[in-house]
Amino acid sequence: MNDQQPKTTHFGFRDVPVDDKQKLVGQVFTSVARNYDLMNDLMSLGVHRLWKRHFVAVSGVRRGDRVLDLAGGTGDIAALLKPVVGDEGDIVVGDINAAMLNVGRDRLTDRGLVAGLQWTQLNAEALPFADNSFDAVTMAFGLRNVTDKDKALADIHRVLKPGGRALVLEFSRVQNELFGKLYDFHSFKILPKLGQLFAGDADSYQYLAESIRKHPDQETLKGMMERAGFGRVDVRNLTNGIVAIHRGYKF
């Protein structure tokens, strides 16, 4: 008789079987796909737009680069990167959720952004690309929803060209205690109510607030990237650490 218990991981503050997390996260993002901009505005009070612009500005991406944007289904980062890589470069937008990809592709197509963009449904833990394929890999507000983050970081390292860089923009640990208390109040008391009011979906917004608190803090994620093989990993806090940019290089 096998008494071994199934492996579990966190889904927000709940423990769930590892094999279930991907499906549960998928349900959340299918639910919020059409209201994703609203969700980000409610979660960040609109500041996410500035964070993303800064993220691209410090990315080091250059004209002619080939970039993989993971968890990029909204198209936000791809739209900011496209004028940077220019006609000579190209961007592969990857997301595990088909609904998110469809929303992002439609939005960018409506803006006339078609050439040099590829849209691929994929799992960040098993990227369907050859070794040394990209000059840069970006991931904005997606790593916290990945089940096996170490596996994803290792595969990101694999597909980067030597000298390439990985950039992760993600919610992190607030550095000021008083500010952190205000942020917690907004996240757990206000955000789910706003989600219910504007999107008819309090549970998804509750999960998103919880998932932020379960995500590795700045130093932990830096160590994870270093173990995945990245060198010169640096961390840049934005808005007192509500979010952080982690950048690492493949040598």
Side-chain angles (χ1 to χ4, degrees), residues 174 176-188 213:
V174 177
N176 178 276
E177 184 177 354
L178 177 59
F179 190 67
K181 290 179 179 178
L182 294 172
Y183 180 53
D184 283 346
F185 180 80
H186 170 73
S187 297
F188 294 108
R213 301 321 189 274

Side-chain angles (χ1 to χ4, degrees), residues 73-202:
T74 63
D76 288 353
I77 300 300
L80 293 170
L81 283 170
K82 189 65 188 74
V84 179
V85 301
D87 294 338
E88 302 94 334
D90 66 281
I91 300 165
V92 178
V93 183
D95 202 295
I96 199 169
N97 188 278
M100 293 292 292
L101 280 171
N102 290 336
V103 169
R105 183 171 52 222
D106 289 349
R107 287 175 56 200
L108 266 59
T109 299
D110 289 346
R111 293 169 56 181
L113 296 174
V114 178
L117 287 168
Q118 303 171 51
W119 301 81
T120 305
Q121 188 172 5
L122 52 74
N123 186 335
E125 298 174 23
L127 298 173
F129 306 109
D131 297 358
N132 309 318
S133 295
F134 296 95
D135 298 290
V137 178
T138 58
M139 194 173 195
F141 303 118
L143 185 60
R144 73 182 188 278
N145 298 305
V146 174
T147 303
D148 191 333
K149 297 173 181 60
D150 290 310
K151 192 173 182 180
L153 290 170
D155 221 33
I156 290 170
H157 185 272
R158 178 185 65 79
V159 302
L160 276 170
K161 298 175 183 178
R165 59 217 163 276
L167 298 114
V168 177
L169 173 65
E170 189 54 90
F171 289 101
S172 200
R173 178 168 294 178
V174 177
Q175 302 297 291
N176 178 276
E177 184 177 354
L178 177 59
F179 190 67
K181 290 179 179 178
L182 294 172
Y183 180 53
D184 283 346
F185 180 80
H186 170 73
S187 297
F188 294 108
K189 301 298 183 183
I190 305 299
L191 181 61
K193 290 183 172 61
L194 293 175
Q196 181 62 44
L197 178 64
F198 290 104
D201 185 359

Side-chain angles (χ1 to χ4, degrees), residues 25 28-44 48-49 52 70-77 95 97 99-101 103-104 107 139-145 169-171 191 198-199 204-205 207-208 211:
V25 171
V28 168
F29 282 91
T30 297
S31 174
V32 304
R34 290 288 168 187
N35 294 297
Y36 195 76
D37 281 344
L38 171 65
M39 181 200 75
N40 283 330
D41 284 330
L42 294 178
M43 290 178 71
S44 71
H48 73 98
R49 301 172 191 276
K52 290 171 181 174
L70 293 173
T74 63
D76 288 353
I77 300 300
D95 202 295
N97 188 278
M100 293 292 292
L101 280 171
V103 169
R107 287 175 56 200
M139 194 173 195
F141 303 118
L143 185 60
R144 73 182 188 278
N145 298 305
L169 173 65
E170 189 54 90
F171 289 101
L191 181 61
F198 290 104
S204 292
Y205 288 75
Y207 159 73
L208 291 164
S211 71

Side-chain angles (χ1 to χ4, degrees), residues 7-18 20-21 23-25 27-28 188 203-204 206-207 209-211 213-214:
K7 291 183 179 180
T8 62
T9 187
H10 59 83
F11 175 73
F13 290 161
R14 292 164 46 199
D15 286 333
V16 299
V18 168
D20 290 353
K21 180 170 179 175
K23 179 183 70 175
L24 292 168
V25 171
Q27 290 171 350
V28 168
F188 294 108
D203 290 344
S204 292
Q206 179 74 26
Y207 159 73
E210 292 176 0
S211 71
R213 301 321 189 274
K214 299 295 288 186

